[in-house]
Amino acid sequence: MEGVEAEIVIVGAGIAGLTTSLGLHRLGIRSLVLESSESLRVTGFAIATWTNAWRALDEIGIGDSLRQQHHQLYGIVAASTISGLPTSEISFTTKASRGHHEVRCVRRKVLLEALQKELPSGTIRFSSKVVSIQEEESGGCFKLVHLANGSVVKAKVLIGCDGVNSVVSKWLGFKKPTFVGRSAIRGFADFKGSHGFEPKFLQFAGKGVRSGFIPSNEDTVFWFFTFTPSTKGLEASHAIFCLYANKKKKKLDKEVEENPAKMKEFVLSNLGKVPDQVKAAVEITELDNIACSPLCFRRPWELFWGNTSKGNVCVAGDALHPMTPDIGQGGCAALEDSVVLARCLAEALKEKPSGGTEEGDGKEEYKRIERGLKLFARERKWRGFVLISAAYMVGSVQQSSGVVVNFLRDKVLATFLAGMLLKMADFDCGKLSIS
């Protein structure tokens, strides 16, 4: 790839990267997606796709194909880990601002493959890890994207969709996401037949832990278990889950992080009072389908202080607004970003130059691109701020181990917290088409 030049370079072939590329393709604009891994990254197993996500998926033209492979959910039931009793139940069949709410649990692999299938051949280049970004020495408008294999890609527009450890967001000046003090174990259970779960999102909270179980289709169930990595309140035999810390960072003990069997044992020992059907979902989960990761977020005010875009460079998805998974909006927000970004960038690129001709060295086009990316940044900063803040607040309340907060959560706030999920999902990112 030595000397490759591309109009639009997208770093990362995750949800945000592929959706942005497809959105641009729908508007007649080619892009090049650089992915560090050798194939599509399908870690994470599944994502909850809420009403706002389906609006975005319909705009890029793959909503109907995904609906055929994933069951619709009709409500959320919250229960206490301590008593096992339900604390609230909310229906998803209520009206949204446009139509009705729609919630499904979509397998990440299926989503990424659906996006890839719609892209022109050669759009994604695997084994292309970005290590640094440089301005053209000649003062030109291109960004020089240096890859680990020594090659360089010249980009007229550079979009970072490279996740929480984004190279592009670092170049823009963003700090590394902050560890929130909680971690999540995720799994995907294949029942090899009907699992018997109702089409509802089951959620349990109490004793400082929180778990959820979401049927994806007739034989698979996605589950998660979030906890504070501390022995306090947990079985002493699970002390290996403690965090060790230094002045710069905290991370999970690698021995456990890389041992799915210990993860499964830990989850089963701390689920609390849940139905046997729920325990079975964890018990039958194959070890290859279990993963653990620390939860991180970007402090919401950084979206206003930092540079979401700078010149012809911007970020989207987790590279822009990493958030905790407590309201299930990380992947959904990435889909929103992609539609808005594709629209703003296409409008900038297709805008007629002032005076009918291009200013020398493409400077007029550069200015239009800069305006387009700034428009994207303005549209998404407040939305990112709200989602990050709401997720952090909901997670803090739901996962508290305090007696008073537990009482308020189960007796007073349960319905409010569940309703927060629908409120955050009732958002329309707009049309993909441009005038």
Side-chain angles (χ1 to χ4, degrees):
M1 270 195 297
E2 187 70 41
V4 169
E5 184 176 312
E7 186 168 76
I8 300 174
V9 172
I10 299 172
V11 183
I15 294 173
L18 294 186
T19 309
T20 300
S21 181
L22 181 54
L24 290 167
H25 174 61
R26 299 294 195 216
L27 296 172
I29 300 173
R30 287 291 300 266
S31 61
L32 174 65
V33 180
L34 303 177
E35 169 55 43
S36 61
S37 63
E38 298 178 355
S39 59
L40 289 178
R41 292 173 290 119
V42 295
T43 55
F45 307 122
I47 65 168
T49 49
W50 297 77
T51 311
N52 53 322
W54 289 105
R55 290 170 180 168
L57 290 168
D58 285 337
E59 285 301 314
I60 61 168
I62 63 170
D64 287 341
S65 65
L66 292 173
R67 287 183 177 94
Q68 295 173 11
Q69 302 175 68
H70 303 91
H71 288 176
Q72 184 168 356
L73 303 177
Y74 293 101
I76 179 170
V77 178
S80 168
T81 297
I82 302 170
S83 67
L85 299 176
T87 56
S88 71
E89 181 169 359
I90 288 183
S91 172
F92 292 158
T93 60
T94 57
K95 282 192 175 183
S97 59
R98 193 185 75 185
H100 289 80
H101 283 286
E102 180 177 6
V103 186
R104 301 171 195 265
C105 181
V106 173
R107 293 200 65 171
R108 181 182 173 88
K109 180 176 185 292
V110 174
L111 172 57
L112 294 182
E113 288 176 347
L115 292 166
Q116 181 185 33
K117 182 181 177 181
E118 296 295 315
L119 288 169
S121 177
T123 297
I124 309 172
R125 296 196 179 182
F126 295 103
S127 301
S128 299
K129 182 179 180 179
V130 175
V131 293
S132 66
I133 302 162
Q134 181 183 3
E135 303 273 3
E136 271 192 301
E137 292 183 1
S138 60
C141 299
F142 284 85
K143 292 297 182 290
L144 304 180
V145 183
H146 295 263
L147 306 183
N149 61 11
S151 59
V152 179
V153 180
K154 293 179 65 176
K156 184 182 293 185
V157 182
L158 178 61
I159 302 172
C161 298
D162 44 342
V164 294
N165 297 312
S166 169
V167 174
V168 183
S169 65
K170 182 179 180 180
W171 185 87
L172 286 171
F174 278 114
K175 297 178 182 179
K176 286 185 177 181
T178 301
F179 175 58
V180 299
R182 296 184 287 128
S183 295
I185 299 173
R186 298 177 174 92
F188 203 86
D190 185 353
F191 281 77
K192 310 297 183 183
S194 179
H195 48 61
F197 278 75
E198 290 185 75
K200 294 181 179 180
F201 179 3
L202 301 180
Q203 182 174 278
F204 304 88
K207 288 187 176 180
V209 299
R210 175 171 168 255
S211 60
F213 298 80
I214 317 173
S216 179
N217 52 34
E218 63 184 12
D219 53 14
T220 52
V221 173
F222 168 70
W223 58 266
F224 65 84
F225 181 87
T226 58
F227 63 101
T228 301
S230 168
T231 55
K232 185 177 180 180
L234 300 178
E235 298 291 336
S237 61
H238 298 297
I240 196 168
F241 267 87
C242 286
L243 285 177
Y244 66 88
N246 56 33
K247 292 183 180 180
K248 293 185 178 180
K249 62 181 179 178
K250 297 179 179 180
K251 58 184 178 178
L252 286 174
D253 191 308
K254 286 294 182 182
E255 183 179 349
V256 173
E257 191 178 54
E258 298 172 359
N259 191 329
K262 290 184 180 295
M263 294 182 207
K264 179 187 285 192
E265 179 187 356
F266 175 77
V267 173
L268 289 171
S269 298
N270 292 284
L271 274 177
K273 292 186 178 181
V274 298
D276 292 340
Q277 180 188 41
V278 165
K279 288 185 178 180
V282 178
E283 289 171 343
I284 71 164
T285 300
E286 296 181 4
L287 297 184
D288 288 343
N289 290 339
I290 301 177
C292 182
S293 60
L295 301 182
C296 301
F297 81 130
R298 174 153 286 133
R299 298 187 186 280
W301 49 85
E302 291 182 29
L303 297 186
F304 293 100
W305 293 346
N307 292 316
T308 300
S309 70
K310 182 180 179 181
N312 56 349
V313 181
C314 76
V315 286
D318 284 345
L320 171 59
H321 44 57
M323 66 187 75
T324 62
D326 301 289
I327 57 173
Q329 281 293 329
C332 300
L335 291 168
E336 292 178 12
D337 287 345
S338 301
V339 172
V340 176
L341 178 53
R343 181 177 64 237
C344 291
L345 190 52
E347 287 177 344
L349 290 171
K350 293 190 174 184
E351 180 184 337
K352 291 182 180 180
S354 59
T357 58
E358 286 287 278
E359 189 178 324
D361 299 325
K363 291 183 179 179
E364 172 70 20
E365 185 179 39
Y366 178 89
K367 290 178 181 177
R368 298 201 312 271
I369 290 170
E370 184 177 31
R371 287 197 300 270
L373 297 185
K374 283 184 177 179
L375 177 60
F376 162 74
R378 285 197 299 270
E379 284 198 35
R380 298 304 296 168
K381 278 185 177 181
W382 179 249
R383 175 65 170 165
F385 178 91
V386 170
L387 291 177
I388 293 173
S389 302
Y392 184 83
M393 182 273 289
V394 170
S396 297
V397 173
Q398 288 185 328
Q399 204 144 339
S400 171
S401 58
V403 176
V404 175
V405 176
N406 280 347
F407 175 81
L408 292 175
R409 180 191 61 231
D410 294 345
K411 304 298 183 181
V412 180
L413 297 175
T415 301
F416 169 79
L417 293 173
M420 179 72 76
L421 305 181
L422 289 182
K423 182 178 180 180
M424 292 297 102
D426 194 4
F427 182 88
D428 191 347
C429 62
K431 299 293 183 182
L432 179 62
S433 59
I434 61 176
S435 55

